[in-house]
Amino acid sequence: MMHSVENRFIAIVCGAMLMFVAPLIVLFLTLSSERVARERLQNTQILLEAGAQALGKPLWDFDRDGAEQIARSLSANADVLSVHIRDSSGTISVHIPPVPVDPNVPHKSLSKEILYNSQDGQRSVGTAEIRVAAPGLLSRFSKDELTVFAILVVAVGVVFASAILGNRITVIRPLMRLTAAIEATRRLGSRHHVDWTSDDEMGTLAHNFNEMQSNLEREEKELKLAHARATDIYNLTPSMLFSLDADNRLTAVSDYWLIATGYSRHQVIGRTFTDFVDDHWHETYRARRGNGNATHANICEVTVPFIKADGETMTVLILEMKSATGDEHYGLSLSVMTDVTELKQAESRNHAQAITDHLTGLLNRQGFEAVLDDAIRNADETATQLACIFIDLDRFKWINDHFGHAVGDEVLRQVVARIRTTLRLEDTMSRLGGDEFAILVNAEQVEALASEIGDRICAILREPILVEGADLSVSASIGIALYPDHAANAAELLLKSDMAMYARKRDGKNGMLVFDTSMLDSARERHEMEQNIDAALKEDWFEAYLQPIVSLGDGRIAGFEALMRLNHPEKGILSPAKIIGIAEENGSIARVGERVLEKAIGHLARLTQLEGADTTYLAINFSPLQFTETLPHKLAALLLKHHISPTRIVIEITEAVLMLDNPDVHAVLKQLSEFGCRIALDDFGTGYSSLSYLNRFPVDIVKVDQSFTRSLSTGTADVRRKSRMLIKGIRTISHQMGCTVVAEGIETKEQWELLRKLGLDYGQGYLFSRPMPIENMLLMLEMESEVKATNRA
């Protein structure tokens, strides 16, 4: 192997000799030999022609001796093998030498006709034939020529030897030294240099090799120093660092890693990392490369349970830096492992708190929705049914407002305890918020079971709840929806049960209702009505219709009641009751009320300009939600704007307002009363505690519900008699308390006459006038006004 370069060089030179020099020498010898042979043949030809001329006379004279003498002179030539002379008559035939020539000897025959110039002209007297030797390639040359050729061969040999020697001195020797330095470096590990200096390329190669060795030696020292520093940093860093190869085997661990895990280095190096991970988490760890870090694309993270040397398990967060080369099959990775056991435990506690209602210990809405999602997935896999029972407590807000939130909380806790007694262990109950609860039921006959549970809940809540010595009544409105019969997903199931609950609440509360598709129509109708309300507020479609309130004694108009109407440009007048109910539920009643209030007071200002109408009053209905601390200020600003006296304004309230028993509502009513407005109690007699309101609130006007007015002239005689007694009792009590009494819903003259005889002060109804827009009311008052008629009388 050490002489392979020299051998190749010799092979190249020999090849060049064979391919180029040898053919040239052969070509030279061939051409020279042919030239010599050609010259010798030409000389022999000339000699033959001269001999043929000399033989003409002897053959003419039949001089045999002369012919032999000439033949011997011809055969004296070194190239002539034999001479044969004969005359044309066959008399003379001379052979020299007399022995025939071996026919196997290479030769060439030359012949010449012998002519003699006689008196009669040239005459052919015979022929002369010479056999000339055909010499070999070298035999054709002379000694001098062979000497020159030998000198040429020696020169070529000297050049060949010089090339080999020069190659050995200038190339092979430095290469052997370079090879020896490389081999010493490989075997001994130290950086050996080449002892060679010259001004040629080999000297440059040796110089560059020595410089390279010096640079590598310096870089190795720096690398060893850097490695030592990196190892120190790796081991001294107070973090659990480790490195893995492509097969997830540990190649290095930091000292802190060993301290934290309790292992020794020889126990872990070379082992697969999953050997230290809980079996159930192996696949999670292997799939870690798919869990990218949000802030660094080249970092993946995974959280797994890690088994320490003492057998204990700690939860660790592993951040792994992928191979810098990007080749996951061959590159190493660097990972940092952090003990997050306490953090995970805290997260579990926080998650439990996040999905748990702190008051009742039930799941909250977030937790229930998660359970509902899982239950639906399980129901899909097992082809079973679910039922969602939605519960909303009736009158709970009233309890909170009257007895305080502490009592309300205790009521909720007792309600939960009672409801739990109606459930199975596998049923899931949650508090969605406030006084709303949901129950998840899973069974084969789920509808029947859910209905049975709903009935049991309604029954168990009928018993009063004892809190701080007070018996409190709480009922529930319950809605039930089924999966997959009524809903396709968790959100829809919860929504459908909520819709069923609201349908039950609108139908009278305290009961249970299973969802049906007709509720969707109600929901669509409600949604359409909400859109109409929003559009009416934007486009100013709300109007204040007016209905006269007349004196039952003389028929004189004493005032007007302002009634809200939504005049849709395409659908006409929409149902006021539906509008008010929806507006109160979605919170838009305040804006609607302000719009109607402003228009109603503006209408009163226009009516005031009519003759005899300057003392009429305006009764305005207010929703319980409108009684805020800003109401008196807004009303005062409108009255000041239209120059209306507060005494001409009557604030109509229902028992719903008074049932709130809210101190803020009390304060607003007191402000309005002190401002000069009168307070009217609408629909009196329909509530169970109406008489107490007359004593507790500043009521000036009592309005008898139209159901009493209607019963005066309809039904049995006993019903009519009792109605008269009730109305008379209301009148007596109201008058004794200084309140004016107004009857609603008067539609016949008979009712008018009976009410007048019973001593009621005022009345309103279709008998006198339907509610109408301000323009129609102005036209009616101008044409047929009772005010004008009274003045004319």
Side-chain angles (χ1 to χ4, degrees):
M1 292 297 294
M2 293 297 291
H3 302 286
S4 60
V5 174
E6 185 176 19
N7 292 340
R8 286 196 295 270
F9 177 78
I10 294 173
I12 292 172
V13 173
C14 291
M17 293 286 289
L18 291 175
M19 292 179 64
F20 300 103
V21 178
L24 289 175
I25 292 176
V26 171
L27 179 62
F28 169 75
L29 291 175
T30 302
L31 294 176
S32 298
S33 175
E34 289 179 354
R35 178 184 58 79
V36 171
R38 191 169 52 253
E39 289 177 354
R40 287 184 177 183
L41 187 59
Q42 288 175 355
N43 292 335
T44 304
Q45 187 104 19
I46 294 171
L47 181 62
L48 178 61
E49 289 178 357
Q53 289 178 2
L55 287 171
K57 177 69 176 157
L59 291 182
W60 178 263
D61 293 336
F62 299 104
D63 183 3
R64 183 179 181 87
D65 292 335
E68 288 180 353
Q69 185 178 358
I70 293 172
R72 280 193 293 272
S73 63
L74 289 175
S75 62
N77 191 309
D79 294 327
V80 177
L81 295 178
S82 67
V83 178
H84 181 205
I85 300 172
R86 65 178 179 273
D87 64 353
S88 56
S89 62
T91 303
I92 298 175
S93 178
V94 179
H95 288 275
I96 295 178
V99 181
V101 180
D102 187 359
N104 294 325
V105 176
H107 64 278
K108 185 177 287 187
S109 296
L110 298 177
S111 62
K112 182 67 176 177
E113 185 179 10
I114 302 173
L115 300 175
Y116 177 71
N117 294 321
S118 66
Q119 293 178 354
D120 297 328
Q122 278 190 343
R123 299 282 300 273
S124 175
V125 293
T127 58
E129 182 181 0
I130 299 175
R131 290 184 178 183
V132 181
L137 184 64
L138 296 179
S139 61
R140 298 174 183 176
F141 294 100
S142 63
K143 291 182 179 181
D144 293 339
E145 290 175 333
L146 291 175
T147 302
V148 172
F149 178 73
I151 293 172
L152 176 62
V153 172
V154 170
V156 172
V158 171
V159 172
F160 179 74
S162 299
I164 293 176
L165 181 61
N167 178 70
R168 176 177 287 274
I169 295 174
T170 60
V171 177
I172 300 303
R173 186 179 296 175
L175 282 180
M176 291 177 64
R177 293 187 181 183
L178 178 62
T179 304
I182 295 174
E183 183 67 15
T185 301
R186 183 181 67 83
R187 290 183 177 181
L188 303 177
S190 58
R191 295 291 172 180
H192 287 263
H193 290 239
V194 180
D195 185 15
W196 183 267
T197 55
S198 62
D199 295 333
D200 55 9
E201 288 81 357
M202 296 308 297
T204 302
L205 176 62
H207 176 72
N208 292 339
F209 177 80
N210 292 337
E211 283 192 352
M212 180 188 70
Q213 292 288 75
S214 300
N215 292 336
L216 289 176
E217 186 175 8
R218 182 173 61 255
E219 290 175 0
E220 282 181 355
K221 291 181 181 179
E222 294 176 354
L223 185 60
K224 289 179 180 178
L225 179 61
H227 182 267
R229 291 176 179 173
T231 302
D232 290 341
I233 294 173
Y234 191 87
N235 288 320
L236 296 177
T237 300
S239 295
M240 291 183 281
L241 304 178
F242 64 94
S243 297
L244 301 174
D245 61 12
D247 295 324
N248 286 329
R249 290 190 298 266
L250 286 165
T251 58
V253 292
S254 66
D255 292 346
Y256 192 83
W257 191 96
L258 297 173
I259 295 172
T261 61
Y263 292 101
S264 59
R265 188 168 271 106
H266 74 274
Q267 289 178 302
V268 298
I269 298 300
R271 293 179 61 183
T272 303
F273 189 81
T274 49
D275 293 345
F276 307 96
V277 177
D278 187 272
D279 294 344
H280 298 90
W281 292 80
H282 283 187
E283 289 303 321
T284 301
Y285 179 76
R286 293 189 185 103
R288 68 193 182 281
R289 297 288 171 86
N291 302 327
N293 186 274
T295 58
H296 200 302
N298 208 34
I299 294 179
C300 61
E301 62 180 63
V302 66
T303 302
V304 294
F306 183 91
I307 303 173
K308 298 194 293 184
D310 57 7
E312 294 185 2
T313 299
M314 64 177 176
T315 304
V316 295
L317 170 64
I318 299 174
L319 297 179
E320 179 177 342
M321 176 68 75
K322 300 176 184 177
S323 172
T325 62
D327 190 345
E328 298 180 1
H329 297 288
Y330 301 101
L332 296 176
S333 65
L334 176 63
S335 302
V336 58
M337 190 167 76
T338 306
D339 184 359
V340 293
T341 304
E342 294 183 359
L343 178 61
K344 281 297 179 181
Q345 292 173 350
E347 285 182 356
S348 299
R349 291 193 298 270
N350 292 338
H351 177 68
Q353 293 175 359
I355 64 173
T356 303
D357 176 53
H358 69 280
L359 176 64
T360 62
L362 300 174
L363 291 174
N364 58 17
R365 179 180 288 273
Q366 178 183 350
F368 183 74
E369 289 176 350
V371 170
L372 190 55
D373 287 332
D374 293 339
I376 285 182
R377 282 193 292 268
N378 184 63
D380 291 337
E381 294 172 357
T382 59
T384 57
Q385 286 188 321
L386 300 174
C388 182
I389 304 174
F390 200 105
I391 304 172
D392 184 86
L393 301 182
D394 303 324
R395 300 184 71 247
F396 178 75
K397 188 176 185 303
W398 182 85
I399 293 175
N400 254 347
D401 292 341
H402 281 76
F403 297 94
H405 290 283
V407 172
D409 292 345
E410 180 60 26
V411 169
L412 289 176
R413 283 191 285 265
Q414 291 196 34
V415 166
V416 169
R418 289 189 182 186
I419 293 177
R420 274 179 166 167
T421 62
T422 68
L423 304 178
R424 304 172 302 167
L425 291 177
E426 59 266 33
D427 297 334
T428 302
M429 182 177 179
S430 71
R431 182 188 178 199
L432 301 181
D435 58 347
E436 291 183 340
F437 300 89
I439 300 171
L440 181 61
V441 179
N442 187 346
E444 291 184 0
Q445 302 296 328
V446 71
E447 182 175 0
L449 178 59
S451 299
E452 181 183 344
I453 292 174
D455 290 335
R456 290 202 298 262
I457 293 173
C458 290
I460 203 170
L461 292 181
R462 290 193 183 101
E463 295 295 327
I465 296 176
L466 180 61
V467 180
E468 296 184 0
D471 286 336
L472 302 177
S473 297
V474 177
S475 61
S477 298
I478 300 175
I480 299 175
L482 308 179
Y483 176 87
D485 295 351
H486 299 150
N489 52 54
E492 191 175 349
L493 181 62
L494 197 58
L495 174 64
K496 296 293 179 63
S497 60
D498 188 18
M499 291 173 62
M501 182 275 295
Y502 272 109
R504 174 68 260 183
K505 190 175 285 289
R506 285 192 293 269
D507 290 344
K509 303 181 180 181
N510 190 21
M512 178 198 67
L513 194 62
V514 179
F515 175 83
D516 63 64
T517 54
S518 64
M519 296 176 187
L520 292 176
D521 297 333
S522 300
R524 282 191 289 269
E525 182 181 354
R526 172 189 171 86
H527 178 65
E528 183 179 354
M529 187 63 74
E530 288 181 342
Q531 291 181 322
N532 290 334
I533 292 173
D534 291 339
L537 289 170
K538 292 179 181 178
E539 304 297 333
D540 196 21
W541 294 342
F542 281 107
E543 297 180 3
Y545 276 34
L546 301 178
Q547 184 178 35
I549 301 173
V550 302
S551 172
L552 295 180
D554 55 12
R556 181 181 58 84
I557 294 179
F560 303 90
E561 181 178 2
L563 300 171
M564 182 275 296
R565 294 291 185 270
L566 195 164
N567 191 359
H568 195 281
E570 298 176 359
K571 303 175 183 178
I573 301 297
L574 302 183
S575 171
K578 290 184 178 180
I579 293 173
I580 293 173
I582 293 174
E584 286 182 338
E585 290 179 8
N586 66 17
S588 61
I589 189 64
R591 291 189 295 159
V592 174
E594 290 178 8
R595 188 71 55 86
V596 174
L597 175 63
E598 183 175 0
K599 288 193 174 184
I601 293 177
H603 295 345
L604 180 61
R606 294 181 64 182
L607 291 171
T608 302
Q609 298 175 5
L610 296 177
E611 183 181 354
D614 55 342
T615 59
T616 55
Y617 70 86
L618 178 68
I620 307 172
N621 293 279
F622 283 87
S623 166
L625 300 178
Q626 289 182 262
F627 284 91
T628 62
E629 60 182 8
T630 61
L631 178 60
H633 303 288
K634 293 178 181 178
L635 181 60
L638 288 173
L639 295 178
L640 182 62
K641 175 182 177 182
H642 294 284
H643 307 288
I644 301 295
S645 171
T647 57
R648 298 180 61 192
I649 301 299
V650 173
I651 307 297
E652 288 198 3
I653 58 176
T654 62
E655 290 186 53
V657 176
L658 303 181
M659 283 176 63
L660 293 174
D661 201 15
N662 190 317
D664 295 334
V665 175
H666 289 190
V668 172
L669 287 175
K670 183 179 179 182
Q671 278 186 284
L672 292 173
S673 180
E674 292 174 351
F675 183 53
C677 299
R678 288 179 289 172
I679 308 299
L681 184 57
D682 199 9
D683 301 332
F684 187 82
T686 58
Y688 69 91
S689 59
S690 296
L691 293 177
S692 65
Y693 297 145
L694 297 178
N695 186 42
R696 293 167 56 195
F697 295 95
V699 177
D700 301 292
I701 299 173
V702 174
K703 302 189 73 173
V704 179
D705 188 70
Q706 60 183 348
S707 61
F708 294 104
T709 302
R710 192 176 301 112
S711 62
L712 286 175
S713 58
T714 59
T716 63
D718 185 58
V719 171
R720 292 196 297 271
R721 181 181 61 80
K722 290 180 179 180
S723 296
R724 287 194 297 272
M725 291 178 63
L726 287 172
I727 293 174
K728 189 174 182 179
I730 293 172
R731 179 217 62 191
T732 302
I733 294 173
S734 299
H735 282 176
Q736 288 180 353
M737 299 189 71
C739 297
T740 301
V741 183
V742 179
E744 297 180 305
I746 302 175
E747 297 181 353
T748 66
K749 289 184 178 181
E750 180 185 1
Q751 293 171 351
W752 181 8
E753 185 63 26
L754 287 173
L755 291 169
R756 185 181 63 78
K757 289 180 179 180
L758 289 173
L760 272 67
D761 304 307
Y762 301 97
Q764 64 184 99
Y766 287 177
L767 175 64
F768 306 112
S769 173
R770 289 176 175 270
M772 61 181 65
I774 181 61
E775 301 299 337
N776 293 0
M777 181 61 68
L778 290 172
L779 182 61
M780 184 191 77
L781 293 178
E782 289 176 354
M783 301 296 297
E784 305 175 7
S785 174
E786 290 292 333
V787 176
K788 286 189 176 182
T790 302
N791 289 341
R792 282 197 302 271

